[in-house]
mmCIF file of all heavy atoms in Angstrom:
data_model
loop_
_atom_site.group_PDB
_atom_site.id
_atom_site.type_symbol
_atom_site.label_atom_id
_atom_site.label_comp_id
_atom_site.label_asym_id
_atom_site.label_seq_id
_atom_site.Cartn_x
_atom_site.Cartn_y
_atom_site.Cartn_z
ATOM 1 N N ARG U 1 -59.059 -104.304 36.299
ATOM 2 C CA ARG U 1 -59.874 -105.499 36.135
ATOM 3 C C ARG U 1 -60.218 -105.706 34.664
ATOM 4 O O ARG U 1 -60.573 -104.764 33.953
ATOM 5 C CB ARG U 1 -61.160 -105.408 36.963
ATOM 6 C CG ARG U 1 -61.813 -106.784 37.065
ATOM 7 C CD ARG U 1 -62.964 -106.855 38.020
ATOM 8 N NE ARG U 1 -63.384 -108.257 38.111
ATOM 9 C CZ ARG U 1 -64.598 -108.643 38.447
ATOM 10 N NH1 ARG U 1 -65.518 -107.755 38.768
ATOM 11 N NH2 ARG U 1 -64.896 -109.926 38.498
ATOM 12 N N PHE U 2 -60.073 -106.956 34.222
ATOM 13 C CA PHE U 2 -60.542 -107.355 32.908
ATOM 14 C C PHE U 2 -61.947 -107.940 33.061
ATOM 15 O O PHE U 2 -62.541 -107.889 34.128
ATOM 16 C CB PHE U 2 -59.579 -108.377 32.288
ATOM 17 C CG PHE U 2 -58.335 -107.757 31.731
ATOM 18 C CD1 PHE U 2 -57.338 -107.287 32.569
ATOM 19 C CD2 PHE U 2 -58.150 -107.614 30.368
ATOM 20 C CE1 PHE U 2 -56.184 -106.710 32.078
ATOM 21 C CE2 PHE U 2 -57.004 -107.035 29.850
ATOM 22 C CZ PHE U 2 -56.014 -106.577 30.708
ATOM 23 N N SER U 3 -62.478 -108.511 32.024
ATOM 24 C CA SER U 3 -63.839 -109.037 32.084
ATOM 25 C C SER U 3 -63.905 -110.210 33.054
ATOM 26 O O SER U 3 -62.885 -110.854 33.345
ATOM 27 C CB SER U 3 -64.290 -109.498 30.696
ATOM 28 O OG SER U 3 -63.756 -110.766 30.389
ATOM 29 N N PRO U 4 -65.109 -110.543 33.575
ATOM 30 C CA PRO U 4 -65.240 -111.670 34.511
ATOM 31 C C PRO U 4 -64.880 -113.025 33.917
ATOM 32 O O PRO U 4 -64.843 -114.023 34.650
ATOM 33 C CB PRO U 4 -66.726 -111.613 34.897
ATOM 34 C CG PRO U 4 -67.130 -110.196 34.675
ATOM 35 C CD PRO U 4 -66.354 -109.760 33.463
ATOM 36 N N ASP U 5 -64.621 -113.106 32.608
ATOM 37 C CA ASP U 5 -64.139 -114.356 32.015
ATOM 38 C C ASP U 5 -62.821 -114.798 32.638
ATOM 39 O O ASP U 5 -62.488 -115.989 32.631
ATOM 40 C CB ASP U 5 -63.924 -114.182 30.508
ATOM 41 C CG ASP U 5 -65.229 -114.044 29.748
ATOM 42 O OD1 ASP U 5 -66.156 -114.827 30.008
ATOM 43 O OD2 ASP U 5 -65.341 -113.135 28.901
ATOM 44 N N TRP U 6 -62.046 -113.848 33.153
ATOM 45 C CA TRP U 6 -60.712 -114.143 33.666
ATOM 46 C C TRP U 6 -60.726 -114.190 35.179
ATOM 47 O O TRP U 6 -61.373 -113.390 35.843
ATOM 48 C CB TRP U 6 -59.723 -113.066 33.195
ATOM 49 C CG TRP U 6 -59.736 -112.882 31.717
ATOM 50 C CD1 TRP U 6 -60.374 -111.903 31.006
ATOM 51 C CD2 TRP U 6 -59.120 -113.733 30.744
ATOM 52 N NE1 TRP U 6 -60.179 -112.071 29.664
ATOM 53 C CE2 TRP U 6 -59.411 -113.194 29.467
ATOM 54 C CE3 TRP U 6 -58.336 -114.892 30.822
ATOM 55 C CZ2 TRP U 6 -58.956 -113.773 28.295
ATOM 56 C CZ3 TRP U 6 -57.876 -115.467 29.652
ATOM 57 C CH2 TRP U 6 -58.190 -114.911 28.408
ATOM 58 N N TRP U 7 -59.962 -115.109 35.752
ATOM 59 C CA TRP U 7 -59.799 -115.139 37.205
ATOM 60 C C TRP U 7 -59.118 -113.857 37.664
ATOM 61 O O TRP U 7 -58.184 -113.365 37.048
ATOM 62 C CB TRP U 7 -58.924 -116.315 37.631
ATOM 63 C CG TRP U 7 -59.597 -117.651 37.520
ATOM 64 C CD1 TRP U 7 -60.916 -117.894 37.258
ATOM 65 C CD2 TRP U 7 -58.979 -118.939 37.654
ATOM 66 N NE1 TRP U 7 -61.147 -119.245 37.230
ATOM 67 C CE2 TRP U 7 -59.983 -119.906 37.474
ATOM 68 C CE3 TRP U 7 -57.675 -119.344 37.930
ATOM 69 C CZ2 TRP U 7 -59.721 -121.271 37.553
ATOM 70 C CZ3 TRP U 7 -57.411 -120.707 37.997
ATOM 71 C CH2 TRP U 7 -58.421 -121.658 37.812
ATOM 72 N N GLY U 8 -59.587 -113.334 38.802
ATOM 73 C CA GLY U 8 -58.955 -112.167 39.384
ATOM 74 C C GLY U 8 -59.836 -110.941 39.330
ATOM 75 O O GLY U 8 -60.703 -110.803 38.452
ATOM 76 N N SER U 9 -59.628 -110.040 40.292
ATOM 77 C CA SER U 9 -60.362 -108.776 40.309
ATOM 78 C C SER U 9 -59.404 -107.642 40.657
ATOM 79 O O SER U 9 -59.638 -106.865 41.570
ATOM 80 C CB SER U 9 -61.528 -108.838 41.307
ATOM 81 O OG SER U 9 -61.084 -109.266 42.581
ATOM 82 N N ALA U 10 -58.295 -107.605 39.928
ATOM 83 C CA ALA U 10 -57.306 -106.522 39.993
ATOM 84 C C ALA U 10 -56.536 -106.483 41.310
ATOM 85 O O ALA U 10 -56.028 -105.436 41.701
ATOM 86 C CB ALA U 10 -57.960 -105.169 39.710
ATOM 87 N N GLU U 11 -56.404 -107.625 41.992
ATOM 88 C CA GLU U 11 -55.594 -107.669 43.203
ATOM 89 C C GLU U 11 -54.106 -107.611 42.825
ATOM 90 O O GLU U 11 -53.636 -108.442 42.062
ATOM 91 C CB GLU U 11 -55.859 -108.957 43.987
ATOM 92 C CG GLU U 11 -57.321 -109.232 44.298
ATOM 93 C CD GLU U 11 -57.985 -110.160 43.274
ATOM 94 O OE1 GLU U 11 -57.473 -110.240 42.133
ATOM 95 O OE2 GLU U 11 -58.978 -110.796 43.630
ATOM 96 N N PRO U 12 -53.347 -106.669 43.381
ATOM 97 C CA PRO U 12 -51.915 -106.614 43.044
ATOM 98 C C PRO U 12 -51.126 -107.772 43.639
ATOM 99 O O PRO U 12 -50.135 -108.219 43.065
ATOM 100 C CB PRO U 12 -51.466 -105.273 43.630
ATOM 101 C CG PRO U 12 -52.438 -104.993 44.726
ATOM 102 C CD PRO U 12 -53.751 -105.562 44.263
ATOM 103 N N ILE U 13 -51.574 -108.250 44.816
ATOM 104 C CA ILE U 13 -50.911 -109.366 45.483
ATOM 105 C C ILE U 13 -51.989 -110.296 46.027
ATOM 106 O O ILE U 13 -52.936 -109.841 46.677
ATOM 107 C CB ILE U 13 -50.002 -108.882 46.631
ATOM 108 C CG1 ILE U 13 -48.838 -108.044 46.070
ATOM 109 C CG2 ILE U 13 -49.476 -110.057 47.447
ATOM 110 C CD1 ILE U 13 -48.019 -107.352 47.136
ATOM 111 N N VAL U 14 -51.850 -111.590 45.747
ATOM 112 C CA VAL U 14 -52.811 -112.600 46.206
ATOM 113 C C VAL U 14 -52.053 -113.751 46.836
ATOM 114 O O VAL U 14 -51.124 -114.305 46.237
ATOM 115 C CB VAL U 14 -53.656 -113.140 45.024
ATOM 116 C CG1 VAL U 14 -54.566 -114.264 45.496
ATOM 117 C CG2 VAL U 14 -54.468 -112.035 44.384
ATOM 118 N N ILE U 15 -52.427 -114.121 48.059
ATOM 119 C CA ILE U 15 -51.893 -115.324 48.700
ATOM 120 C C ILE U 15 -53.089 -116.087 49.250
ATOM 121 O O ILE U 15 -53.733 -115.651 50.202
ATOM 122 C CB ILE U 15 -50.923 -114.985 49.847
ATOM 123 C CG1 ILE U 15 -49.823 -114.027 49.384
ATOM 124 C CG2 ILE U 15 -50.305 -116.262 50.403
ATOM 125 C CD1 ILE U 15 -48.921 -113.551 50.510
ATOM 126 N N THR U 16 -53.417 -117.229 48.654
ATOM 127 C CA THR U 16 -54.586 -117.998 49.084
ATOM 128 C C THR U 16 -54.271 -119.482 49.095
ATOM 129 O O THR U 16 -53.508 -119.984 48.266
ATOM 130 C CB THR U 16 -55.801 -117.758 48.169
ATOM 131 O OG1 THR U 16 -55.468 -118.118 46.817
ATOM 132 C CG2 THR U 16 -56.253 -116.311 48.203
ATOM 133 N N THR U 17 -54.887 -120.184 50.032
ATOM 134 C CA THR U 17 -54.844 -121.648 50.035
ATOM 135 C C THR U 17 -56.234 -122.166 50.363
ATOM 136 O O THR U 17 -56.789 -121.869 51.424
ATOM 137 C CB THR U 17 -53.789 -122.207 51.009
ATOM 138 O OG1 THR U 17 -53.835 -123.637 50.981
ATOM 139 C CG2 THR U 17 -53.945 -121.705 52.420
ATOM 140 N N PHE U 18 -56.823 -122.914 49.410
ATOM 141 C CA PHE U 18 -58.145 -123.513 49.567
ATOM 142 C C PHE U 18 -58.115 -124.916 48.976
ATOM 143 O O PHE U 18 -57.401 -125.181 48.005
ATOM 144 C CB PHE U 18 -59.222 -122.707 48.823
ATOM 145 C CG PHE U 18 -59.393 -121.299 49.309
ATOM 146 C CD1 PHE U 18 -59.074 -120.229 48.493
ATOM 147 C CD2 PHE U 18 -59.886 -121.035 50.572
ATOM 148 C CE1 PHE U 18 -59.230 -118.929 48.930
ATOM 149 C CE2 PHE U 18 -60.052 -119.742 51.021
ATOM 150 C CZ PHE U 18 -59.722 -118.677 50.202
ATOM 151 N N ASN U 19 -58.936 -125.796 49.528
ATOM 152 C CA ASN U 19 -59.056 -127.135 48.964
ATOM 153 C C ASN U 19 -59.686 -127.059 47.580
ATOM 154 O O ASN U 19 -60.706 -126.393 47.384
ATOM 155 C CB ASN U 19 -59.913 -128.014 49.867
ATOM 156 C CG ASN U 19 -59.299 -128.196 51.250
ATOM 157 O OD1 ASN U 19 -58.116 -127.971 51.455
ATOM 158 N ND2 ASN U 19 -60.126 -128.608 52.196
ATOM 159 N N ARG U 20 -59.071 -127.761 46.626
ATOM 160 C CA ARG U 20 -59.611 -127.741 45.269
ATOM 161 C C ARG U 20 -60.981 -128.421 45.208
ATOM 162 O O ARG U 20 -61.900 -127.956 44.532
ATOM 163 C CB ARG U 20 -58.642 -128.443 44.314
ATOM 164 C CG ARG U 20 -59.106 -128.413 42.854
ATOM 165 C CD ARG U 20 -58.128 -129.140 41.950
ATOM 166 N NE ARG U 20 -56.854 -128.458 41.852
ATOM 167 C CZ ARG U 20 -56.608 -127.436 41.031
ATOM 168 N NH1 ARG U 20 -57.582 -126.953 40.271
ATOM 169 N NH2 ARG U 20 -55.423 -126.878 40.997
ATOM 170 N N ASP U 21 -61.104 -129.555 45.913
ATOM 171 C CA ASP U 21 -62.359 -130.299 45.899
ATOM 172 C C ASP U 21 -62.444 -131.106 47.196
ATOM 173 O O ASP U 21 -61.581 -130.993 48.074
ATOM 174 C CB ASP U 21 -62.456 -131.207 44.668
ATOM 175 C CG ASP U 21 -61.235 -132.102 44.498
ATOM 176 O OD1 ASP U 21 -60.772 -132.690 45.500
ATOM 177 O OD2 ASP U 21 -60.736 -132.225 43.369
ATOM 178 N N GLU U 22 -63.474 -131.931 47.318
ATOM 179 C CA GLU U 22 -63.696 -132.685 48.554
ATOM 180 C C GLU U 22 -62.587 -133.694 48.836
ATOM 181 O O GLU U 22 -62.401 -134.114 49.983
ATOM 182 C CB GLU U 22 -65.049 -133.405 48.475
ATOM 183 C CG GLU U 22 -66.247 -132.460 48.462
ATOM 184 C CD GLU U 22 -67.557 -133.198 48.352
ATOM 185 O OE1 GLU U 22 -67.506 -134.423 48.087
ATOM 186 O OE2 GLU U 22 -68.619 -132.569 48.509
ATOM 187 N N ASN U 23 -61.843 -134.093 47.815
ATOM 188 C CA ASN U 23 -60.805 -135.113 47.980
ATOM 189 C C ASN U 23 -59.395 -134.539 48.038
ATOM 190 O O ASN U 23 -58.419 -135.291 48.063
ATOM 191 C CB ASN U 23 -60.898 -136.117 46.827
ATOM 192 C CG ASN U 23 -62.248 -136.805 46.772
ATOM 193 O OD1 ASN U 23 -62.760 -137.245 47.799
ATOM 194 N ND2 ASN U 23 -62.830 -136.890 45.583
ATOM 195 N N THR U 24 -59.275 -133.207 48.045
ATOM 196 C CA THR U 24 -57.960 -132.590 47.965
ATOM 197 C C THR U 24 -57.789 -131.560 49.070
ATOM 198 O O THR U 24 -58.526 -130.574 49.116
ATOM 199 C CB THR U 24 -57.762 -131.895 46.601
ATOM 200 O OG1 THR U 24 -58.036 -132.821 45.546
ATOM 201 C CG2 THR U 24 -56.339 -131.389 46.459
ATOM 202 N N LYS U 25 -56.833 -131.777 49.945
ATOM 203 C CA LYS U 25 -56.507 -130.799 50.988
ATOM 204 C C LYS U 25 -55.333 -129.948 50.515
ATOM 205 O O LYS U 25 -54.293 -130.474 50.122
ATOM 206 C CB LYS U 25 -56.162 -131.492 52.303
ATOM 207 C CG LYS U 25 -55.857 -130.530 53.445
ATOM 208 C CD LYS U 25 -55.660 -131.257 54.756
ATOM 209 C CE LYS U 25 -55.242 -130.289 55.871
ATOM 210 N NZ LYS U 25 -56.224 -129.202 56.052
ATOM 211 N N SER U 26 -55.507 -128.654 50.561
ATOM 212 C CA SER U 26 -54.484 -127.756 50.019
ATOM 213 C C SER U 26 -53.271 -127.675 50.938
ATOM 214 O O SER U 26 -53.349 -127.911 52.150
ATOM 215 C CB SER U 26 -55.069 -126.371 49.798
ATOM 216 O OG SER U 26 -55.457 -125.783 51.023
ATOM 217 N N GLY U 27 -52.132 -127.298 50.350
ATOM 218 C CA GLY U 27 -50.878 -127.237 51.073
ATOM 219 C C GLY U 27 -50.714 -125.971 51.901
ATOM 220 O O GLY U 27 -51.525 -125.042 51.854
ATOM 221 N N LYS U 28 -49.626 -125.927 52.658
ATOM 222 C CA LYS U 28 -49.301 -124.808 53.540
ATOM 223 C C LYS U 28 -48.541 -123.723 52.777
ATOM 224 O O LYS U 28 -47.790 -124.004 51.840
ATOM 225 C CB LYS U 28 -48.444 -125.284 54.715
ATOM 226 C CG LYS U 28 -49.122 -126.296 55.631
ATOM 227 C CD LYS U 28 -50.109 -125.605 56.547
ATOM 228 C CE LYS U 28 -50.663 -126.569 57.600
ATOM 229 N NZ LYS U 28 -51.648 -125.889 58.481
ATOM 230 N N ILE U 29 -48.711 -122.475 53.242
ATOM 231 C CA ILE U 29 -47.952 -121.344 52.724
ATOM 232 C C ILE U 29 -47.288 -120.646 53.902
ATOM 233 O O ILE U 29 -47.962 -120.273 54.868
ATOM 234 C CB ILE U 29 -48.853 -120.346 51.977
ATOM 235 C CG1 ILE U 29 -49.557 -121.016 50.796
ATOM 236 C CG2 ILE U 29 -48.040 -119.144 51.494
ATOM 237 C CD1 ILE U 29 -50.581 -120.125 50.107
ATOM 238 N N LYS U 30 -45.946 -120.454 53.826
ATOM 239 C CA LYS U 30 -45.268 -119.763 54.922
ATOM 240 C C LYS U 30 -43.960 -119.139 54.441
ATOM 241 O O LYS U 30 -43.385 -119.552 53.433
ATOM 242 C CB LYS U 30 -44.991 -120.724 56.077
ATOM 243 C CG LYS U 30 -44.040 -121.863 55.767
ATOM 244 C CD LYS U 30 -43.844 -122.756 57.000
ATOM 245 C CE LYS U 30 -42.878 -123.904 56.705
ATOM 246 N NZ LYS U 30 -42.674 -124.765 57.894
ATOM 247 N N ASN U 31 -43.543 -118.122 55.179
ATOM 248 C CA ASN U 31 -42.291 -117.411 54.931
ATOM 249 C C ASN U 31 -42.282 -116.763 53.549
ATOM 250 O O ASN U 31 -41.493 -117.115 52.668
ATOM 251 C CB ASN U 31 -41.078 -118.326 55.107
ATOM 252 C CG ASN U 31 -39.782 -117.536 55.139
ATOM 253 O OD1 ASN U 31 -39.772 -116.345 55.449
ATOM 254 N ND2 ASN U 31 -38.674 -118.191 54.818
ATOM 255 N N ILE U 32 -43.159 -115.778 53.394
ATOM 256 C CA ILE U 32 -43.273 -115.018 52.151
ATOM 257 C C ILE U 32 -42.930 -113.567 52.461
ATOM 258 O O ILE U 32 -43.456 -112.986 53.413
ATOM 259 C CB ILE U 32 -44.700 -115.105 51.556
ATOM 260 C CG1 ILE U 32 -45.216 -116.558 51.576
ATOM 261 C CG2 ILE U 32 -44.719 -114.522 50.150
ATOM 262 C CD1 ILE U 32 -44.425 -117.537 50.759
ATOM 263 N N ARG U 33 -42.050 -112.955 51.660
ATOM 264 C CA ARG U 33 -41.548 -111.617 51.921
ATOM 265 C C ARG U 33 -41.790 -110.687 50.735
ATOM 266 O O ARG U 33 -41.567 -111.072 49.587
ATOM 267 C CB ARG U 33 -40.046 -111.662 52.208
ATOM 268 C CG ARG U 33 -39.641 -112.576 53.370
ATOM 269 C CD ARG U 33 -39.974 -111.916 54.699
ATOM 270 N NE ARG U 33 -39.511 -112.698 55.835
ATOM 271 C CZ ARG U 33 -40.278 -113.529 56.541
ATOM 272 N NH1 ARG U 33 -41.544 -113.690 56.208
ATOM 273 N NH2 ARG U 33 -39.789 -114.197 57.568
ATOM 274 N N PHE U 34 -42.212 -109.443 51.057
ATOM 275 C CA PHE U 34 -42.402 -108.410 50.043
ATOM 276 C C PHE U 34 -41.624 -107.168 50.472
ATOM 277 O O PHE U 34 -41.885 -106.607 51.543
ATOM 278 C CB PHE U 34 -43.880 -108.063 49.891
ATOM 279 C CG PHE U 34 -44.748 -109.212 49.441
ATOM 280 C CD1 PHE U 34 -45.329 -110.061 50.368
ATOM 281 C CD2 PHE U 34 -44.974 -109.436 48.094
ATOM 282 C CE1 PHE U 34 -46.131 -111.123 49.962
ATOM 283 C CE2 PHE U 34 -45.764 -110.497 47.673
ATOM 284 C CZ PHE U 34 -46.345 -111.345 48.609
ATOM 285 N N PHE U 35 -40.672 -106.732 49.661
ATOM 286 C CA PHE U 35 -39.866 -105.551 49.953
ATOM 287 C C PHE U 35 -39.926 -104.575 48.773
ATOM 288 O O PHE U 35 -39.803 -104.981 47.609
ATOM 289 C CB PHE U 35 -38.396 -105.939 50.178
ATOM 290 C CG PHE U 35 -38.175 -106.946 51.272
ATOM 291 C CD1 PHE U 35 -37.922 -108.276 50.968
ATOM 292 C CD2 PHE U 35 -38.215 -106.572 52.603
ATOM 293 C CE1 PHE U 35 -37.708 -109.208 51.968
ATOM 294 C CE2 PHE U 35 -38.002 -107.502 53.617
ATOM 295 C CZ PHE U 35 -37.753 -108.819 53.298
ATOM 296 N N ASN U 36 -40.120 -103.302 49.076
ATOM 297 C CA ASN U 36 -40.067 -102.257 48.048
ATOM 298 C C ASN U 36 -41.020 -102.549 46.886
ATOM 299 O O ASN U 36 -40.626 -102.588 45.715
ATOM 300 C CB ASN U 36 -38.638 -102.088 47.519
ATOM 301 C CG ASN U 36 -37.647 -101.740 48.606
ATOM 302 O OD1 ASN U 36 -37.988 -101.072 49.585
ATOM 303 N ND2 ASN U 36 -36.416 -102.193 48.469
ATOM 304 N N ILE U 37 -42.276 -102.756 47.222
ATOM 305 C CA ILE U 37 -43.317 -103.000 46.226
ATOM 306 C C ILE U 37 -44.185 -101.750 46.112
ATOM 307 O O ILE U 37 -44.691 -101.247 47.127
ATOM 308 C CB ILE U 37 -44.202 -104.206 46.612
ATOM 309 C CG1 ILE U 37 -43.358 -105.429 46.970
ATOM 310 C CG2 ILE U 37 -45.201 -104.500 45.499
ATOM 311 C CD1 ILE U 37 -42.548 -105.998 45.846
ATOM 312 N N THR U 38 -44.368 -101.241 44.913
ATOM 313 C CA THR U 38 -45.256 -100.111 44.666
ATOM 314 C C THR U 38 -46.409 -100.599 43.805
ATOM 315 O O THR U 38 -46.203 -101.041 42.662
ATOM 316 C CB THR U 38 -44.524 -98.968 43.943
ATOM 317 O OG1 THR U 38 -43.448 -98.518 44.760
ATOM 318 C CG2 THR U 38 -45.471 -97.803 43.673
ATOM 319 N N ALA U 39 -47.620 -100.559 44.361
ATOM 320 C CA ALA U 39 -48.786 -101.111 43.665
ATOM 321 C C ALA U 39 -49.885 -100.063 43.568
ATOM 322 O O ALA U 39 -50.225 -99.405 44.561
ATOM 323 C CB ALA U 39 -49.312 -102.340 44.405
ATOM 324 N N LYS U 40 -50.450 -99.936 42.366
ATOM 325 C CA LYS U 40 -51.606 -99.066 42.160
ATOM 326 C C LYS U 40 -52.595 -99.804 41.275
ATOM 327 O O LYS U 40 -52.226 -100.318 40.210
ATOM 328 C CB LYS U 40 -51.206 -97.748 41.509
ATOM 329 C CG LYS U 40 -52.376 -96.774 41.347
ATOM 330 C CD LYS U 40 -51.914 -95.426 40.821
ATOM 331 C CE LYS U 40 -53.091 -94.460 40.729
ATOM 332 N NZ LYS U 40 -52.664 -93.114 40.249
ATOM 333 N N GLY U 41 -53.854 -99.863 41.720
ATOM 334 C CA GLY U 41 -54.844 -100.570 40.916
ATOM 335 C C GLY U 41 -56.213 -100.524 41.551
ATOM 336 O O GLY U 41 -56.456 -99.777 42.503
ATOM 337 N N GLU U 42 -57.098 -101.362 41.030
ATOM 338 C CA GLU U 42 -58.498 -101.305 41.432
ATOM 339 C C GLU U 42 -58.816 -102.146 42.666
ATOM 340 O O GLU U 42 -59.961 -102.190 43.092
ATOM 341 C CB GLU U 42 -59.384 -101.761 40.267
ATOM 342 C CG GLU U 42 -59.341 -100.811 39.090
ATOM 343 C CD GLU U 42 -60.384 -101.168 38.060
ATOM 344 O OE1 GLU U 42 -60.126 -102.089 37.254
ATOM 345 O OE2 GLU U 42 -61.464 -100.548 38.064
ATOM 346 N N ASN U 43 -57.820 -102.807 43.222
ATOM 347 C CA ASN U 43 -58.053 -103.623 44.407
ATOM 348 C C ASN U 43 -56.793 -103.628 45.259
ATOM 349 O O ASN U 43 -55.753 -103.091 44.853
ATOM 350 C CB ASN U 43 -58.451 -105.049 44.007
ATOM 351 C CG ASN U 43 -59.364 -105.713 45.012
ATOM 352 O OD1 ASN U 43 -59.386 -105.351 46.185
ATOM 353 N ND2 ASN U 43 -60.116 -106.717 44.567
ATOM 354 N N GLY U 44 -56.897 -104.238 46.434
ATOM 355 C CA GLY U 44 -55.766 -104.276 47.340
ATOM 356 C C GLY U 44 -55.213 -105.671 47.521
ATOM 357 O O GLY U 44 -55.578 -106.625 46.824
ATOM 358 N N VAL U 45 -54.320 -105.811 48.473
ATOM 359 C CA VAL U 45 -53.658 -107.078 48.784
ATOM 360 C C VAL U 45 -54.668 -108.036 49.407
ATOM 361 O O VAL U 45 -55.430 -107.673 50.304
ATOM 362 C CB VAL U 45 -52.493 -106.835 49.749
ATOM 363 C CG1 VAL U 45 -51.890 -108.157 50.215
ATOM 364 C CG2 VAL U 45 -51.436 -105.938 49.107
ATOM 365 N N LEU U 46 -54.678 -109.277 48.921
ATOM 366 C CA LEU U 46 -55.566 -110.321 49.423
ATOM 367 C C LEU U 46 -54.746 -111.446 50.028
ATOM 368 O O LEU U 46 -53.922 -112.070 49.347
ATOM 369 C CB LEU U 46 -56.432 -110.869 48.283
ATOM 370 C CG LEU U 46 -57.238 -112.139 48.568
ATOM 371 C CD1 LEU U 46 -58.274 -111.891 49.656
ATOM 372 C CD2 LEU U 46 -57.900 -112.653 47.297
ATOM 373 N N ILE U 47 -54.959 -111.722 51.312
ATOM 374 C CA ILE U 47 -54.354 -112.878 51.991
ATOM 375 C C ILE U 47 -55.500 -113.657 52.612
ATOM 376 O O ILE U 47 -56.213 -113.136 53.471
ATOM 377 C CB ILE U 47 -53.359 -112.437 53.082
ATOM 378 C CG1 ILE U 47 -52.248 -111.568 52.478
ATOM 379 C CG2 ILE U 47 -52.772 -113.654 53.787
ATOM 380 C CD1 ILE U 47 -51.348 -110.936 53.526
ATOM 381 N N HIS U 48 -55.700 -114.905 52.184
ATOM 382 C CA HIS U 48 -56.882 -115.647 52.641
ATOM 383 C C HIS U 48 -56.549 -117.130 52.763
ATOM 384 O O HIS U 48 -56.421 -117.849 51.777
ATOM 385 C CB HIS U 48 -58.034 -115.449 51.656
ATOM 386 C CG HIS U 48 -59.392 -115.674 52.241
ATOM 387 N ND1 HIS U 48 -59.703 -116.742 53.050
ATOM 388 C CD2 HIS U 48 -60.542 -114.950 52.127
ATOM 389 C CE1 HIS U 48 -60.976 -116.666 53.399
ATOM 390 N NE2 HIS U 48 -61.514 -115.590 52.866
#
């Protein structure tokens, strides 16, 4: 993790979809594959 000035909290993998604002509906995420990934760090995989 770097300082809170930067987005992120040491997640090795992040998959998220959220509306940016009240007028924007976020898009779909599907068919994502991870093979032979070795991750070490201060946080884990985030899917939200």
Side-chain angles (χ1 to χ4, degrees):
R1 195 171 186 205
F2 282 74
S3 79
D5 290 314
W6 306 100
W7 287 351
S9 52
E11 307 95 337
I13 295 171
V14 175
I15 307 174
T16 59
T17 178
F18 298 114
N19 298 342
R20 183 181 293 277
D21 52 45
E22 293 179 350
N23 300 314
T24 307
K25 182 174 175 57
S26 64
K28 297 283 188 181
I29 300 174
K30 64 180 180 180
N31 192 23
I32 314 298
R33 303 284 185 262
F34 298 89
F35 303 103
N36 302 328
I37 310 295
T38 299
K40 183 174 183 179
E42 294 189 279
N43 210 336
V45 173
L46 169 64
I47 302 172
H48 203 315

